[in-house]
């Protein structure tokens, strides 16, 4: 079994009957959703899923997991999601799969958040993974220039030369920062730039991290 599968299966055990569950996005969450689908089918587990992307909605529905929109639920008991990097003080980078906006909206409404990752994503300081920033297409070139002037080494994410569109119809600018010494200050700065819809810094939102290393899963409580 690979690490992603091991943490995905383990994460599904945290879901209890009757819960409303935030369903993250990505290749690790894929295994979590597969296992959740198995539990729904074989154990009769009752839950409502709140999806963070069109891809996750499609997968969950294919597996018979009931999905509601975030506006159809009052709150979310537990969200299980992946991450691109997690620092020693439990800040995180997300958005490698371009779903960061819905992931953050779902996270903000969740009572508890579990991230599932393999051990390569646990780092001392964030920043080796380029920080995704979701921006409104209107005026994006000026944001690219601003980020360039700040020395943030921005790259407009694209497929075959065309900017990728998020599920919300926006663009993603990835910032190749190298090392982020103060993720809280950077989040605050990005929060105040007009045209930035959301960024992939998820600072101190996570409660528990399941870290996969082959078949082994380490359970790490965030402090
Ligand atoms: C999507 C995300 C993902 O959770 C993150 O990119 C991790 O994905 P994977 O499990 O495929 O490595 O933030 O926007």
């Amino acid at each position: 079994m690979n690490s992603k599968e091991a943490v995905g299966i383990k994460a599904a055990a945290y879901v209890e009957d009757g819960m409303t569950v935030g369903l993250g996005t990505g290749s690790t969450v894929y295994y979590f959703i597969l296992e959740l689908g198995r539990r729904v089918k074989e154990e009769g587990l009752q839950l409502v899923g709140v999806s963070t992307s069109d891809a996750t909605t499609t997968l969950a529905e294919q597996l018979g997991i009931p999905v509601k929109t975030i506006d159809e639920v009052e709150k979310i008991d537990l969200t299980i999601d992946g991450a691109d990097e997690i620092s020693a003080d439990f800040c995180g980078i997300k958005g490698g799969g371009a779903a960061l906006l819905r992931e953050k909206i779902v996270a903000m409404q969740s009572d508890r958040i579990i991230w599932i990752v393999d051990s390569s994503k646990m780092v001392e300081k964030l920043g080796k993974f380029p920080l995704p920033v979701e921006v409104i297409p209107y005026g994006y070139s000026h944001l690219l220039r601003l980020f360039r002037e700040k020395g943030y080494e921005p790259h407009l994410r694209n497929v075959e030369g065309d900017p990728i569109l998020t599920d919300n119809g926006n663009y993603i600018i990835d910032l190749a920062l190298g090392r982020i010494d103060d993720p809280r200050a950077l989040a605050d700065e990005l929060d105040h730039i007009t045209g930035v819809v959301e960024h992939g810094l998820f600072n101190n939102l996570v409660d528990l991290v399941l870290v996969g290393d082959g078949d082994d899963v380490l359970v790490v409580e965030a402090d």
Side-chain angles (χ1 to χ4, degrees), residues 4 25-29 81-84 94-100 103 121:
K4 293 185 181 196
T25 294
S27 59
T28 315
V29 162
D81 203 347
D84 298 303
K94 288 184 48 55
L100 63 113
E103 288 172 336
K121 293 180 173 178

Side-chain angles (χ1 to χ4, degrees), residues 86-205:
I86 305 174
S87 65
D89 59 351
F90 298 102
C91 293
I93 288 182
K94 288 184 48 55
L100 63 113
L101 176 57
R102 295 189 191 181
E103 288 172 336
K104 198 174 277 186
I105 292 172
V106 166
M108 297 312 292
Q109 302 306 322
S110 300
D111 285 350
R112 191 167 188 233
I113 298 173
I114 298 177
W115 282 348
I116 51 177
V117 294
D118 65 48
S119 53
S120 69
K121 293 180 173 178
M122 302 303 284
V123 297
E124 187 59 32
K125 294 260 183 194
L126 300 178
K128 202 165 167 204
F129 191 93
L131 176 66
V133 179
E134 182 158 348
V135 304
I136 296 278
Y138 184 85
Y140 78 94
S141 63
H142 297 278
L143 288 180
L144 278 174
R145 194 180 59 214
L146 176 74
F147 290 140
R148 217 172 283 125
E149 282 166 6
K150 286 175 177 284
Y152 290 172
E153 300 204 20
H155 298 277
L156 184 65
R157 202 182 293 183
N158 64 80
V159 183
E160 292 170 6
D162 290 324
I164 67 135
L165 280 184
T166 69
D167 288 348
N168 318 297
N170 296 318
Y171 291 170
I172 297 281
I173 296 177
D174 292 303
L175 305 180
L177 297 164
R179 179 182 158 122
I180 301 172
D181 280 320
D182 191 344
R184 292 165 197 87
L186 180 59
D188 190 53
E189 180 188 332
L190 294 170
D191 283 340
H192 288 92
I193 296 177
T194 303
V196 168
V197 184
E198 195 47 86
H199 54 79
L201 284 168
F202 284 53
N203 294 330
N204 303 109
L205 291 176

